[in-house]
Amino acid sequence: MEVLGIDVGATGIKGSIVDLSTGTLIGEKVKMKTPSPATPDSITSSIKQMIDVLQWTDKPVGIGFPSIVKEGVCWSASNIDTEFIGFPIQDHLEKVLNTKVKVVNDADAAGIAEMTFGLSLIHIYFVEENKVFDLESVVKGGVKNEQPKDKIKDIHDALVLGLSLIHI
């Protein structure tokens, strides 16, 4: 099964199609600038544009969002407009996009992906200057660029994989 995973961030919106059987990203990663102001209408427009670019019609979409998301409703607004607080983002996008949509907190999505496809359950990763570091290596005194092997190449990949897994 394939799912489109979208990561809505403060400066950019990124998306990729994911093969859920292998956890690999398929085809190109699409990136676009987050609109300013980042309102429900402008973010929806950007997501629609990404779906058009990827020619992803009538197929499931998972979205990592910079907000506390409970049952598809935003309850905070981190780097997005405060109009999102109390906004039913998941229902709104399902109606506008006319497809199944799952919206979750972006950090939750990354955690799900790491637990499913990551190097191990005990490793914690962080990003600095576009490099992924293993926190365990840092704590032990050796800052090494230890990227997760195989599936996850960067935090965007983790978000996309996590978003996609939520559809299973």
Side-chain angles (χ1 to χ4, degrees), residues 70-88:
K70 300 289 183 193
E71 298 179 11
V73 177
C74 295
W75 293 109
S76 65
S78 178
N79 297 312
I80 54 175
D81 197 272
T82 56
E83 282 184 48
F84 275 107
I85 299 174
F87 187 76

Side-chain angles (χ1 to χ4, degrees), residues 36-75:
S36 181
T39 63
D41 286 341
S42 65
I43 293 287
T44 299
S45 178
S46 293
I47 290 171
K48 284 173 61 175
Q49 182 181 357
M50 180 168 291
I51 287 170
D52 289 345
V53 167
L54 290 169
Q55 300 176 349
W56 192 259
T57 309
D58 301 324
K59 300 175 195 172
V61 178
I63 300 173
F65 213 70
S67 172
I68 297 167
V69 180
K70 300 289 183 193
E71 298 179 11
V73 177
C74 295
W75 293 109

Side-chain angles (χ1 to χ4, degrees), residues 84-105:
F84 275 107
I85 299 174
F87 187 76
I89 186 69
Q90 187 169 297
D91 287 345
H92 169 75
L93 289 172
E94 281 189 342
K95 288 176 187 160
V96 171
L97 302 175
N98 195 33
T99 193
K100 180 178 167 72
V101 174
K102 182 70 175 179
V103 180
V104 298
N105 172 268

